[in-house]
Amino acid sequence: MGQLNAGIVPVTPFQQNCTILFDMDDKSGVVVDPGGDIDKVLQALKDNAIRAGAIWITHGHIDHAGGAMELKEALGIDIIGPHVADKPLLENLENQAKRFGLTDSVRNCVPDRFLTEGETVSFGGHEFEVLHCPGHAPGHVVYYNRAAKFAHVGDVLFRGSVGRTDLPGGDHATLIASIKEKLLPLGDDIGFICGHGPGGRFGEERRTNPFLV
């Protein structure tokens, strides 16, 4: 097992951080949240000789799951996650797209497997714990690699901010509880990639994020 690494492919007008997690030695990996622009994602995989074995979804919003079915068919791999509470959002992606004027190639998403709190998912020997962190979306999950002190937090937490809660199924108090009760206790030294913008470390957010202090 080699070092865990990550590459980001910004996709769609939302500039969502579609993330390729991969092992540096054997180049096995997964694609997290392919929201769209699947041609860019496929090119990034090809350019870096990465073999994606699965698609991991953090939650059911269009900018994170809108291209999942297209990528699944292109690579012949499974879609894993999020929590089943986001099933209604995933079944409504095409309607979401119409509201945003983004009808091209967006399709409703049917995961091969939903996830629950406490499960693990892995590739190339890299194991990630699944944390159910609702608030931004009812079925939002976070993928946490304890060995690498790393988490992919989707839209739960951002550098200096938190996920919006004015969308269907959002709840601000629930979101803050998810962050304070499930993420921050993992430790100040945990590095994270989020769904938009730059990542950071939990400790810095605990000390300076205006939504948390």
Side-chain angles (χ1 to χ4, degrees):
M1 183 177 71
Q3 180 182 344
L4 175 66
N5 209 338
I8 292 174
V9 183
V11 296
T12 80
F14 298 102
Q15 288 296 284
Q16 193 275 125
N17 291 333
C18 175
T19 305
I20 301 172
L21 301 174
F22 64 98
D23 181 273
M24 285 291 290
D25 284 356
D26 70 10
K27 295 299 182 79
S28 63
V30 295
V31 178
V32 183
D33 287 354
D37 295 333
I38 297 306
D39 55 336
K40 295 181 182 179
V41 180
L42 291 170
Q43 192 63 50
L45 292 169
K46 180 179 178 182
D47 289 347
N48 295 281
I50 296 169
R51 297 174 290 101
I55 298 162
W56 294 356
I57 304 294
T58 62
H59 64 291
H61 290 157
I62 185 174
D63 52 331
H64 293 256
M69 294 298 284
E70 182 182 351
L71 185 61
K72 170 186 169 69
E73 291 182 357
L75 297 177
I77 58 179
D78 285 351
I79 299 171
I80 299 174
H83 186 280
V84 70
D86 267 10
K87 188 172 185 282
L89 291 174
L90 295 168
E91 292 174 339
N92 200 43
L93 288 175
E94 291 168 20
N95 287 331
Q96 285 186 50
K98 291 174 184 176
R99 288 198 296 272
F100 286 107
L102 300 171
T103 55
D104 291 346
S105 74
V106 173
R107 290 162 53 193
N108 294 338
C109 179
V110 182
D112 295 279
R113 171 186 166 194
F114 286 107
L115 296 170
T116 59
E117 175 87 16
E119 284 192 79
T120 60
V121 290
S122 64
F123 66 89
H126 301 283
E127 185 174 87
F128 288 74
E129 299 170 35
V130 175
L131 306 173
H132 181 210
C133 295
H136 174 68
H140 200 303
V141 297
V142 165
Y143 299 99
Y144 169 52
N145 185 287
R146 190 175 296 271
K149 297 184 177 180
F150 164 77
H152 194 300
V153 301
D155 284 1
V156 173
L157 178 68
F158 300 112
R159 183 185 290 186
S161 188
V162 297
R164 61 188 293 183
T165 54
D166 59 338
L167 299 170
D171 182 85
H172 184 75
T174 300
L175 178 70
I176 298 303
S178 289
I179 297 169
K180 290 187 173 182
E181 296 172 11
K182 294 191 178 180
L183 299 187
L184 298 187
L186 297 175
D188 283 358
D189 57 345
I190 305 300
F192 67 88
I193 288 176
C194 46
H196 305 266
R201 292 194 181 277
F202 286 172
E204 184 67 15
E205 300 313 310
R206 182 182 59 78
R207 290 186 294 268
T208 66
N209 191 310
F211 294 92
L212 303 176
V213 297

